[in-house]
Structure formats: C-alpha cells, structure tokens
Amino acid sequence: MLTPRQNLLETIRGGKPDRFVNQYEFMEIIMETRFDKKLPIGGEGVNSWGITYRWPEGQIGQFPVHDEDHKVLKDITEWKKYVKAPVISTSEEFWAPAIEHANSVDRNEKFVTAFVAPGIFEQCHNLMGMEDALMALYEEPEAMHELIDYLVDFELAYAKEIINHIHPDALFHHDDWGSQKNSFISPEMFEEFYLPAYKKVYGFYKANGVELIVHHSDSYAANLVDYMIEMGIDIWQGVMTTNNTPELIKKYGGKISFMGDLDSGTIDFPDWTQEICGEEVRRACTNCGKLYFIPCLTQGLGVSSFPGVYDCVSAEIDKESKEMF
C-alpha cells in the first residue's frame, strides 16, 4: 500500500495510485507559522496589518470590517501612509512550535506543508474593501501595482523565514479569486496585476526546495487555469462543480490537478446526511476519475463547518476507493 505522499504523487503524475487521495490526508499543515490567529465565533479582533475582523454568531467564518471607522486603506493613492506590513519574527521562541511540529512528521508519509493566508488579492480587498479594491484596479492601476509589489515583498520575506525554519515540502496558499459563477476580475486584468506577483512568490518557494504548490480558491476560476499553470500551481484546491471539473481534467490533466468537486455548500450544512455525502462523493469520483483529481470538500482546510461532515465524506471516499480500484 502506498503512503499518502506516494499515492498523491502517483495521482498527480498520471501514474498508478492504489486508491483515491482522501481529502487533505497527504498534507501535514504547519499552522504554527502563523502570527494571526483565527477568531472564536462571536469574536472581534485586529490583526497584525491593522485589519479588524468579526465572526458573527450564526455565520461560518470571519470577515473584515470595512466601514469608515475600520477600513485600513482609505485612499489607494496614499497607500504608503496607511499600509504597514508587520514585522516578521525571527526569534527562536516564535518559531519553536512550528519547528517541533515539522520535525515530528515522517516525510515519507506526508508533505510538511507551510500555510499562508490570506493571499495577495484577498489582502488587497481586506485592507480597503472589495468595491474599493476592484475600482482601484481600473482607476488607479499604478498605485495598485505598487501596493501589490509591497505585498509580494512581504510574502517573499515571510517565505524566506518559513523555508529557513521548517524546510517545507509543500505550500498551501489561500487566495479566493471568484464567486461560484465567475472570477472577480477578468483574465486580462488578472494577468496584468496578479500573475507576475504569484510567479515571484511561487517561483521562490519552488527554487528553495518546495516540491508542491497547492492553491486554495473555492470558487469559479476555470478561466484562470492557464495562469495557475504558468505561476507554478500543482494542485488547485477548492474547485467547485460550477467549473465543470471533468472537462478541466480532460483539458489540463498532467499540467495541473484538481482537488474538490464536493461543494461544501451542498454537503456541509446543518441538516446534512450520510446519504447526501455518499451521493455527492460517488458522483464526483465517477465523473472525475482516478488521475489528476482529489475528491475533497471545497472548504479550505481539513475540517467542516458542521460536526461530522468531514469524517463522513472521508469514509465515503474510502468506500469509492474499494469500489473503483
């Protein structure tokens, strides 16, 4: 029986996997590298960039607050006045838990995986709000290019410390690029503003021994896959059914792999059932096949919003492996 790491490599290289890669099983994500912690439900907090986040009761996640009193970046043309990157700690005290976690992993079994979130596009709209960020791309492109370069410089400095301290085999990087139906910006605009940024960031990780780039965007982004390949993404995690995953596999398999096709909104809700999990897993595995595909909830970590859903989906994937392999 192949290890989770070996089975993943067989799957994305078009080899001979002996089962479906089961969701996040191949990654040991080192969350201790983060210096901004997730809020509790009902909580409010200010992160290291000065962004205020709230997690209201009854909602499944936190989001930044963008009224005039809380918005960090109030004028894109004066971004240098408002945006100050946090100091990246180099102290052994800060990095010790991450190092201990990474050192505990059998790298023959799993990929030691660095975690970075939010990504460059998300950070732009977290700082100023979605509407302001999208308008700035049209109205103040020069200032937006400068801001993005500044965020890239921070990511590269952070990447250097992550690599030096935990020597990751993989990177799991978040940046949502669309809604369920379309990308937030046109492919042409994405190519101008965000492709060069990610080529620098992902190129740096690859040049420094990181074997696997996994990018999370639980959205429609089928129109950006060519750019994902160009920037060095190995696995797009979060691919929703609206992207027509089987067609993407047929078109791009061998250049990039797809992790998802199990829409969390369809499966992970208060009245979920084992029957729903089973039906959706069976559909995804049957339609998408054994290669270049990892069945997975589109959620951006190995968890579910409602207790029991993630484990149920994992059990159903194991059932499909026994049927199809």
Side-chain angles (χ1 to χ4, degrees):
M1 185 176 177
L2 298 170
T3 68
R5 179 178 180 135
Q6 291 167 341
N7 197 55
L8 180 281
L9 292 174
E10 290 293 314
T11 298
I12 69 172
R13 291 174 178 174
K16 295 181 178 180
D18 59 18
R19 62 194 184 279
F20 283 111
V21 177
N22 197 324
Q23 305 207 83
Y24 285 88
E25 66 176 0
F26 64 97
M27 288 190 283
E28 183 69 24
I29 300 174
I30 313 299
M31 297 295 288
E32 293 88 348
T33 60
R34 302 193 72 192
F35 39 85
D36 286 319
K37 306 305 179 186
K38 196 173 183 179
L39 289 175
I41 296 173
E44 178 177 318
V46 180
N47 78 355
S48 55
W49 290 81
I51 301 166
T52 300
Y53 287 85
R54 289 178 186 152
W55 189 334
E57 295 281 353
Q59 299 301 312
I60 61 173
Q62 64 183 43
F63 207 75
V65 182
H66 288 134
D67 57 43
E68 271 313 300
D69 290 336
H70 292 91
K71 192 184 297 183
V72 172
L73 179 49
K74 301 179 189 300
D75 181 348
I76 183 61
T77 65
E78 296 189 87
W79 70 267
K80 293 178 184 177
K81 171 182 172 183
Y82 294 105
V83 180
K84 304 297 179 186
V87 175
I88 300 167
S89 177
T90 58
S91 74
E92 291 307 309
E93 180 182 4
F94 173 81
W95 288 98
I99 293 169
E100 182 180 4
H101 188 174
N103 287 345
S104 73
V105 180
D106 181 348
R107 294 180 187 240
N108 293 313
E109 289 283 329
K110 294 188 176 187
F111 290 86
V112 170
T113 304
F115 180 84
V116 175
I120 298 165
F121 175 75
E122 284 187 18
Q123 188 71 312
C124 288
H125 71 74
N126 285 359
L127 287 164
M128 66 180 101
M130 180 66 83
E131 294 87 351
D132 286 1
L134 294 179
M135 290 299 294
L137 292 167
Y138 286 97
E139 295 181 339
E140 299 293 344
E142 184 176 342
M144 282 297 285
H145 276 297
E146 291 176 358
L147 175 61
I148 289 167
D149 287 345
Y150 184 75
L151 299 178
V152 167
D153 287 344
F154 171 81
E155 281 231 13
L156 292 174
Y158 186 33
K160 182 179 178 182
E161 295 303 322
I162 288 172
I163 290 163
N164 287 344
H165 286 94
I166 67 169
H167 312 289
D169 308 305
L171 170 68
F172 186 37
H173 196 289
H174 278 220
D175 206 15
D176 290 338
W177 291 334
S179 67
Q180 293 186 44
K181 297 180 179 180
N182 209 341
S183 57
F184 289 129
I185 59 177
S186 70
E188 294 78 13
M189 187 168 278
F190 185 90
E191 180 181 22
E192 177 185 347
F193 286 92
Y194 293 101
L195 176 61
Y198 271 105
K199 287 176 76 170
K200 289 179 184 177
V201 172
Y202 289 161
F204 182 83
Y205 277 101
K206 286 281 181 86
N208 284 277
V210 174
E211 183 177 353
L212 195 68
I213 303 291
V214 184
H215 182 99
H216 165 83
S217 180
D218 52 346
S219 65
Y220 179 89
N223 56 346
L224 305 177
V225 173
D226 287 309
Y227 300 133
M228 294 186 199
I229 294 166
E230 187 175 345
M231 66 178 66
I233 293 172
D234 298 289
I235 299 170
W236 169 16
Q237 190 280 324
V239 56
M240 300 187 73
T241 55
T242 50
N243 292 280
N244 194 342
T245 314
E247 285 300 313
L248 290 179
I249 293 167
K250 191 181 299 183
K251 182 176 181 179
Y252 293 107
K255 298 178 180 178
I256 189 171
S257 293
F258 302 92
M259 181 174 174
D261 208 58
L262 298 172
D263 295 350
S264 291
T266 302
I267 302 170
D268 188 10
F269 64 101
D271 295 325
W272 71 275
T273 65
Q274 184 272 331
E275 287 75 20
I276 292 171
C277 293
E279 288 171 7
E280 287 297 302
V281 168
R282 192 172 309 112
R283 173 199 53 74
C285 292
T286 302
N287 292 347
C288 295
K290 301 176 182 179
L291 298 178
Y292 314 119
F293 172 64
I294 300 160
C296 182
L297 287 168
T298 51
Q299 178 121 315
L301 280 171
V303 297
S304 54
S305 296
F306 298 92
V309 175
Y310 186 87
D311 290 340
C312 183
V313 168
S314 292
E316 293 299 324
I317 292 169
D318 282 340
K319 287 182 186 178
E320 290 305 312
S321 285
K322 291 172 183 175
E323 290 285 330
M324 295 181 64
F325 284 81

